[in-house]
Amino acid sequence: MVSVSMNVNGKPASGEVEGRTLLSAFLRENLKLTGTHIGCDTSQCGACVVHVDGKAVKACTMLAAEADGSEVKTIEGMANADGSLGVVQQAFQDHHGLQCGFCTPGMVMSAAALLSENPNPSEAEIREYLEGNLCRCTGYHNIVKAIMAAAGQDVSKIAAE
Amino acid sequence: MPKDGGIGASSKRREDVRFLTGKGRYTDDINIHGQAYAYFLRSEVAYGKINGIDTSVAEGMPGVVQIFTAKDFEGAGGIPCGWQVTDRHGQPMQEPKHPILAEGFVRHVGDPIVGVVADTLEQARDAAEAIDVDITEIDPVLDMRAALADGATKVHDELSSNLCYDWNLGNSPEEAEQVMNSAHHVTTLELTNNRLIANPMEPRVAVGDYSIANDDYTLYTTSQNPHVIRLLMGAFVLNIPEHKLRVVAPDVGGGFGSKIYHYAEEAFCTFAAKQCMRPVKWTSSRSEAFVSDAHGRDHVTTIRLALDENGKFLAIHTDTLANMGAYLSTFSSSIPTWLHGTLMAGNYTTPIVSVNVKAVFTNTVPVDAYRGAGRPEATFQLERVVDKAAREMGIDPVEIRRRNFITEFPYATPVAVEYDTGDYHATMDKLLELSDHAGFEVRAAESKANGKLRGFGISHYIEACGIAPSNLVGQLGARAGLYESATVRVNATGSISVMTGSHSHGQGHETSFAQVVAEMIGIDEKQIDIVHGDTANTPMGMGTYGSRSLAVGGSAIVRATEKILNKAKKIAAHLLEASEADIELKDGTFTVAGTDKSVAWGDVTLAAYVPHNYPLEEIEPGLEETAFYDPANFTYPSGGYGCEVEVDPETGKVQILSFTAADDFGNVVNPMIVEGQVQGGLAQGIGQALLENCAYDENGQLLSGSYMDYTMPRADDVPMFKVDHSCMTPCTHNPLGVKGCGEAGAIGSPPAVVNAVIDALQRGGHDVKHIDMPLSPDRVWMAMNS
Ligand code: FES
Ligand code: FES
C-alpha cells in the first residue's frame, strides 16, 4: 500500500492505495467521485478523462500513485462557484450535446482542455481532438456544435440541433 | 401553450444537469455496505464438453466467499425466450435450454462456467484463475449454411438439428416464382448484413441484494425494462414472486437493444446475494461485454425483385439465414421474423411478397435486437435490390422508387401489416431539396477533377414502431403483452409526479413526457416530474425499445391525464357551482363557459386532498389515475435518406461528404430531442456501413473483441448531418399522432451509404454491383481492382 495525496477540484484528498490502483479507481472508489466513468479496458473510450495539472488525461491510464502531488480536476469540479453550469457544460445542455450522459464527463473534460489549448478551433480540429472520446448516442453532431458554441462561434447556421 | 414549453417546444433537457456535473447515478455508482464482488470464469473455446470443474484450490484462497457452478442452479430455470415462433409447418421453434452457468457443455467463447464471489474483485479474479475446468473441445459450428447441412455437428445435442425454425410470410414461394418466370426483368442480389455489437458506452452491471428481515430481493441493473426483468427472472428463473423482488434500473448509459434482455449475470447476482448473505456486485469489463452482450444483425440473404418493362415491381422473393448464436436471447426469435419479414414491402405497391427465414444455431454469442432490429436488415436488402434494378434497367433510382410508391392509405401489405398513413413523395421531395440533388453533377465533376469519385445514394425506408398491439403479437407468438402504463399522481398543491413503465437511457423522457402533461393541463412543465426505472414505484410496464416510448408510453400518460382532467372538471364544477358540461380548461385555469367565474388548477387539486367543500357522495377524494395503453396498430415512420460520398481510387477509402435525412415521424413533441435521436442513429448506421464488423475466426474466437479491432465511429468519421422532420402525417391511431424516431437513423442509412459508394464506383467506370458491409478501404479497393 502507498499513501497518495493530491488536490482534487481544489480540495486536498489523500488515501492509501495499492501500487496498481488506477487514478480512475481512486477517484471513483476512494473519493466517491463517480462522475469519472469507466467505459473500456483498453484506454480507448475517453469516458474517464480528467485534468491532471491542467492536461487532459485518461484516468484509466494513470496510476493513482503517479498523480501524487498533482492538481486534479474532474467533472465534479467544472461548475461555476455558485453551482451554475460552466461555459462548456452549459453549451452541452443548450445544444443537446448529450443523451445517456455516460461519455459526457469525458467529453466535457476533453472539450475544456481543447479550448484552453486552442480557444477557437475549427470543426475539423474539434473532430480530430475528440479522436480518443467515443460517444454511441449523439453521432457527435451536437457535441461538436456545443464545443464550437462554447468557443463563442455562431452555430446558428449548422443544421438541426 | 406558449412554445417555450409544452408539445412542439425544444425544451432543454432537465436530466442534463446531473449528467453534466457528474451527479448521474448509474448502476456501477451504487455500492451497498458489505457487498462482495462476482467474477465469471468464461469459456475460452467456442464449443466443448465439460468433463469436470475443480474449484478446490480456489475455495481456500483469500477473500473467497463462495464459488458457484451449474450444480448450484439445479432448482432454477433457464433464461427464457420471450417469443415462440411457429414454423411454416405449424410446429413450434426448437428452443434449447439457456442455463445461468454452463451445464455440461460450453457453447460460445464467453459462455459463463463458474461464478466466483469474493471480498474484492481482485480476489475473485485471482481465485477464478486457480480453477481448473477440464474441457474436451468440439469443432464449432460457425457458418450458417454448413450448420444446416446433413450430418452437421449440433450446437445442442438434444435438438434434432441446428435449425431453430423455417418460417414463411406473405405470398407462397410458388406464387412469387411464377411471376419471376414470366417477368420482363428480375434483379437478384446476394448479401450479408454484418454482425454488430451494440456497445452502449456504459457496460452492463448488476448488484443483487437480499434482506433476510423481509425475505425480499433487490436487483440494481443496467436495463431498458426493469419490469420485464422482474417478471422473467422472478417467474421463470429464480422463482421469486414479484412482491418479493424489486428491480431498479437507475441512470442507464445507453442501450440500443442490448440492455433489453434478461442476462445470466442478473440472475446470478440476485441468487448469490441470498446464498452468500451479502450484496453481490458484478461490473462487466468492456472485453467481457464483447463476448457476453447479445450481438445484432448477422443475416445472409438472397433477394430477387421482378419488374415489368416500366420498372413497376411485380414480386419480391427473399430467403434469409438468420444467426441466433448458441442460445435464444429474450427477443431473438422475433427479430428476423415479425420485425423483419413484415417490412419487406417497404414503401412500394409490390403485389406479391414472399419471405422465407431460417434461423440457425451456431457456436457464437446469442444474437438479438440492435437498434432497428430486423427493420435495418429488411430495409437494407430491399433498398439495395431496388437500386440495383434501377441501374440494370437504366432508370433513375429516384424515379424507380417514385413509380412504385404507395400513395393510398391505409395500405394492407402482403406481409401482414397495414400502414395507416404516410406521404413518401413528400419525404423524397424534401430529401432532394435539402441534399441539393440538382447540384450533384457539378460537384461530381469537381471531385473528378481532383482525382476522386463522387457518388450519391438514396434509400427510402419504412419501419414498424410503437411496439405493439398485444392481441396481435400474442397471435404471432409473443409471450408477453406490449402495452405501456402510466400513473399520474397530482399532489395537493398541484405539482405532478408521473410514474411511467417506460425507461429512459438517453432518450430524454424526463423532459419530453413532462411536456405532454404540461400541454394537456396548461401548467408549467417544471411542475411535473417523470419517475421511471424502479419496479417499486412505477406501474407494471414493458419498457423502452422498438421506438415505442412516446407512441405507447406517452399515450398511456395521455390516457391517465385525461382521467385526471375528467375528475378535476367535476371538482371544478362543484367549486364553481356550475354544470360540468360548462367547465372549460385553459392555461391551468378552469372557467365556466360564458362567465368570468374561474378556479385555478392548484385550488382544484387542493380540494381533492382537503375535501371540505367537495362532492364526496359522487366522487372519491384524491387525484391520482393509472392507465394502461395498448396500441391498435404499429406506427409506420418513413423517410428519404441521401448520402453523398467521395471514394479515393488510390486507397478505396470512403469519405462521407454529406448525409441528409428527411423523416416523417408524425407529430413531434420535442424537435431537439428527435433530431438528436436521428443523428445518433445515423452514426450507428454509417458505422455499420463503413466501419463496424463483428468477426469470428474459424475456431470461433472473436477477432473483434476490443475497441482496437471493432471500429466504432469516431467524431472524425461522420459529418454534420442535415436532419428534417417537417413532413408530418400524424399517426391515425394514437392520441398524440406520433410514430417514434429512435431507430430510423440506423434503419435508413446503411443502404444509402452503400448505394452512394456503388454509384461513385460505377460513375468512375468500375463495374462493381455490390460490396458487403462494412465498406472498409480494403474491400472497396479489392472490388475496384478485381
Ligand atoms: S475507461 Fe476507456 S479510456 Fe479510460
Ligand atoms: S451521450 Fe451516451 S455515449 Fe455519449
Side-chain angles (χ1 to χ4, degrees):
Chain A
M1 296 296 256
V2 290
S3 321
V4 292
S5 53
M6 57 190 84
N7 231 330
V8 180
N9 300 328
K11 288 193 212 113
S14 56
E16 296 285 307
V17 297
E18 287 185 49
R20 62 178 168 175
T21 302
L22 297 170
L23 177 59
S24 51
F26 179 68
L27 293 170
R28 287 183 58 81
E29 282 152 35
N30 294 52
L31 305 186
K32 311 289 180 223
L33 293 172
T34 54
T36 298
H37 292 158
I38 309 298
C40 74
D41 46 11
T42 52
S43 314
Q44 287 181 306
C45 75
C48 63
V49 171
V50 297
H51 296 173
V52 178
D53 296 327
K55 292 235 162 352
V57 167
K58 288 179 172 169
C60 74
T61 62
M62 189 176 204
L63 296 173
E66 288 177 273
D68 189 43
S70 296
E71 284 289 330
V72 176
K73 194 169 201 180
T74 70
I75 188 70
E76 288 89 347
M78 291 300 281
N80 297 325
D82 65 356
S84 62
L85 295 180
V87 173
V88 177
Q89 292 168 312
Q90 189 60 56
F92 268 67
Q93 185 184 32
D94 290 346
H95 298 282
H96 191 26
L98 66 154
Q99 292 183 21
C100 78
F102 199 79
C103 73
T104 308
M107 286 288 180
V108 168
M109 299 313 285
S110 287
L114 165 64
L115 294 178
S116 67
E117 283 168 32
N118 177 0
N120 195 21
S122 66
E123 182 196 331
E125 285 171 337
I126 295 171
R127 289 184 184 277
E128 201 188 317
Y129 192 88
L130 293 182
E131 231 265 318
N133 289 80
L134 290 175
C135 174
R136 195 54 152 170
C137 296
T138 63
Y140 303 100
H141 182 110
N142 285 338
I143 291 178
V144 175
K145 190 171 171 181
I147 297 171
M148 292 167 79
Q153 298 172 22
D154 176 9
V155 294
S156 58
K157 295 279 176 318
I158 298 172
E161 67 180 41
Chain B
M1 199 71 202
K3 285 307 165 206
D4 55 354
I7 291 177
S10 283
S11 300
K12 304 281 172 249
R13 297 197 333 164
R14 52 181 68 186
E15 40 275 86
D16 289 358
V17 175
R18 67 176 189 272
F19 296 147
L20 282 164
T21 52
K23 296 289 188 303
R25 185 170 174 261
Y26 299 87
T27 311
D28 195 39
D29 303 338
I30 293 170
N31 293 295
I32 307 174
H33 182 69
Q35 84 191 3
Y37 294 81
Y39 179 83
F40 293 95
L41 182 65
R42 297 177 182 275
S43 178
E44 291 176 0
V45 302
Y47 198 10
K49 184 172 186 326
I50 302 173
N51 303 315
I53 302 173
D54 182 358
T55 59
S56 54
V57 175
E59 268 160 50
M61 286 179 60
V64 171
V65 177
Q66 199 169 335
I67 297 181
F68 297 82
T69 64
K71 270 210 206 76
D72 298 288
F73 288 93
E74 268 165 9
I79 311 265
C81 177
W83 204 300
Q84 162 76 68
V85 168
T86 301
D87 78 4
R88 66 193 178 93
H89 308 295
Q91 297 302 308
M93 67 186 186
Q94 297 208 77
E95 198 172 353
K97 183 175 180 190
H98 184 182
I100 294 169
L101 295 173
E103 278 178 13
F105 291 86
V106 288
R107 294 191 172 88
H108 65 84
V109 169
D111 211 356
I113 309 167
V114 185
V116 181
V117 177
D119 289 340
T120 70
L121 179 58
E122 289 73 22
Q123 288 168 333
R125 198 184 292 139
D126 289 347
E129 271 168 30
I131 294 170
D132 186 31
V133 184
D134 178 12
I135 291 181
T136 304
E137 279 193 56
I138 303 170
D139 277 346
V141 179
L142 298 164
D143 177 77
M144 287 193 277
R145 286 200 180 95
L148 294 182
D150 283 346
T153 306
K154 287 188 287 182
V155 176
H156 295 272
D157 263 351
E158 72 273 23
L159 304 186
S160 64
S161 69
N162 293 317
L163 181 66
C164 178
Y165 54 74
D166 177 352
W167 177 88
N168 276 353
L169 183 68
N171 301 91
S172 69
E174 294 74 26
E175 271 176 283
E177 204 56 50
Q178 261 183 10
V179 181
M180 302 276 163
N181 288 337
S182 59
H184 170 79
H185 185 82
V186 175
T187 294
T188 302
L189 184 58
E190 289 180 30
L191 52 86
T192 65
N193 202 288
N194 42 330
R195 188 179 182 111
L196 302 176
I197 303 178
N199 272 305
M201 292 319 302
E202 177 203 31
R204 288 189 297 119
V205 183
V207 188
D209 192 15
Y210 173 73
S211 157
I212 193 165
N214 303 316
D215 186 31
D216 60 16
Y217 300 79
T218 303
L219 169 69
Y220 301 88
T221 183
T222 46
S223 175
Q224 301 176 214
N225 30 244
H227 283 282
V228 174
I229 303 306
R230 183 175 68 156
L231 180 64
L232 291 178
M233 185 174 82
F236 299 99
V237 185
L238 297 181
N239 250 316
I240 305 169
E242 283 105 317
H243 70 300
K244 292 290 180 194
L245 176 57
R246 173 183 172 206
V247 177
V248 185
D251 287 328
V252 172
F256 315 113
S258 69
K259 292 175 182 167
I260 298 173
Y261 327 119
H262 176 39
Y263 285 99
E265 296 87 354
E266 294 171 320
F268 180 91
C269 289
T270 308
F271 179 81
K274 181 173 180 182
Q275 301 300 308
C276 303
M277 281 296 164
R278 284 174 72 172
V280 175
K281 179 175 191 174
W282 169 74
T283 301
S284 175
S285 68
R286 179 61 61 184
S287 306
E288 215 173 356
F290 275 101
V291 295
S292 68
D293 291 5
H295 294 175
R297 318 280 194 259
D298 205 350
H299 285 190
V300 175
T301 293
T302 303
I303 180 169
R304 289 179 299 155
L305 172 65
L307 306 95
D308 75 8
E309 56 281 11
N310 299 314
K312 281 287 277 181
F313 305 161
L314 303 174
I316 291 165
H317 182 268
T318 172
D319 271 316
T320 288
L321 297 180
N323 204 335
M324 294 286 103
Y327 305 101
L328 291 176
S329 175
T330 310
F331 273 151
S332 57
S333 52
S334 67
I335 308 304
T337 49
W338 299 109
L339 291 174
H340 165 256
T342 45
L343 275 301
M344 282 313 307
N347 299 128
Y348 312 113
T349 54
T350 320
I352 306 278
V353 181
S354 175
V355 181
N356 178 266
V357 177
K358 295 181 183 70
V360 186
F361 292 111
T362 61
N363 291 112
T364 61
V365 171
V367 180
D368 206 322
Y370 165 58
R371 199 173 198 166
R375 292 150 291 170
E377 295 91 318
T379 304
F380 185 71
Q381 50 167 308
L382 187 59
E383 289 301 294
R384 280 290 300 125
V385 82
V386 165
D387 230 63
K388 185 163 184 260
R391 291 176 190 286
E392 286 173 358
M393 293 187 68
I395 304 174
D396 181 80
V398 174
E399 175 58 22
I400 201 167
R401 288 176 168 87
R402 287 198 191 273
R403 283 185 200 170
N404 290 283
F405 273 162
I406 295 161
T407 53
E408 282 169 30
F409 296 90
Y411 179 84
T413 72
V415 278
V417 288
E418 185 175 288
Y419 304 160
D420 60 337
T421 178
D423 185 348
Y424 309 142
H425 285 291
T427 38
M428 180 67 95
D429 290 343
K430 186 52 92 179
L431 164 66
L432 298 180
E433 174 202 324
L434 291 177
S435 60
D436 185 22
H437 188 246
F440 174 76
E441 293 298 341
V442 175
R443 298 191 295 275
E446 281 166 15
S447 293
K448 199 169 176 190
N450 294 327
K452 300 277 172 61
L453 310 177
R454 192 182 277 248
F456 187 81
I458 277 183
S459 96
H460 210 283
Y461 76 89
I462 181 97
E463 54 170 331
C465 296
I467 292 171
S470 292
N471 55 4
L472 173 63
V473 297
Q475 288 164 24
L476 307 182
R479 289 165 166 158
L482 286 170
Y483 54 83
E484 196 47 83
S485 64
T487 295
V488 175
R489 176 178 298 158
V490 183
N491 301 308
T493 60
S495 67
I496 298 174
S497 301
V498 179
M499 278 63 78
T500 169
S502 300
H503 187 275
S504 186
H505 32 279
Q507 296 87 343
H509 296 169
E510 291 169 35
T511 302
S512 53
F513 286 5
Q515 290 177 251
V516 170
V517 178
E519 175 86 24
M520 289 181 72
I521 304 177
I523 56 175
D524 188 337
E525 61 194 46
K526 291 196 187 65
Q527 288 209 63
I528 302 152
D529 257 1
I530 305 297
V531 178
H532 63 100
D534 186 345
T535 59
N537 61 12
T538 57
M540 167 80 181
M542 300 310 290
T544 289
Y545 41 82
S547 306
R548 70 191 301 272
S549 293
L550 188 60
V552 190
S555 295
I557 291 173
V558 170
R559 291 288 184 249
T561 307
E562 284 168 356
K563 292 186 193 179
I564 291 284
L565 290 176
N566 281 341
K567 185 167 176 184
K569 275 188 182 164
K570 286 192 174 64
I571 303 168
H574 177 86
L575 294 175
L576 293 167
E577 296 174 343
S579 140
E580 195 191 324
D582 294 334
I583 299 294
E584 290 174 350
L585 171 64
K586 190 161 183 285
D587 293 343
T589 301
F590 294 95
T591 54
V592 181
T595 76
D596 58 0
K597 291 207 291 185
S598 72
V599 58
W601 168 251
D603 292 326
V604 170
T605 62
L606 191 65
Y609 289 96
V610 187
H612 297 163
N613 172 20
Y614 193 86
L616 284 166
E617 55 293 342
E618 286 164 42
I619 47 175
E620 296 168 8
L623 201 49
E624 171 166 330
E625 299 286 352
T626 294
F628 286 77
Y629 179 84
D630 206 276
N633 190 355
F634 292 89
T635 61
Y636 299 94
S638 59
Y641 282 16
C643 179
E644 197 160 316
V645 299
E646 215 171 49
V647 179
D648 182 342
E650 302 292 317
T651 62
K653 182 159 171 45
V654 176
Q655 195 193 348
I656 307 235
L657 300 174
S658 74
F659 201 105
T660 310
D663 292 293
D664 175 0
F665 295 134
N667 295 334
V668 163
V669 170
N670 184 318
M672 176 191 83
I673 289 177
V674 166
E675 287 152 15
Q677 287 291 309
V678 175
Q679 291 156 359
L682 292 179
Q684 291 184 354
I686 290 170
Q688 169 166 30
L690 296 183
L691 304 165
E692 297 178 41
N693 196 33
C694 172
Y696 282 93
D697 74 7
E698 68 282 4
N699 299 315
Q701 295 293 332
L702 187 61
L703 292 172
S704 49
S706 82
Y707 288 145
M708 291 188 271
D709 308 298
Y710 187 90
T711 319
M712 293 276 280
R714 291 173 188 268
D716 57 2
D717 292 315
V718 287
M720 288 293 189
F721 302 114
K722 288 183 212 161
V723 168
D724 179 274
H725 48 82
S726 62
C727 301
M728 292 184 186
T729 59
C731 171
T732 59
H733 57 79
N734 65 43
L736 290 165
V738 297
K739 297 182 177 178
C741 66
E743 296 163 293
I747 292 171
S749 55
V753 176
V754 178
N755 289 342
V757 174
I758 300 296
D759 185 54
L761 298 184
Q762 293 201 358
R763 283 166 179 274
H766 299 279
D767 184 27
V768 176
K769 299 198 171 58
H770 180 70
I771 308 173
D772 272 329
M773 301 185 290
L775 272 55
S776 51
D778 57 317
R779 287 192 186 186
V780 174
W781 192 90
M782 289 288 282
M784 291 169 72
N785 292 284
S786 61

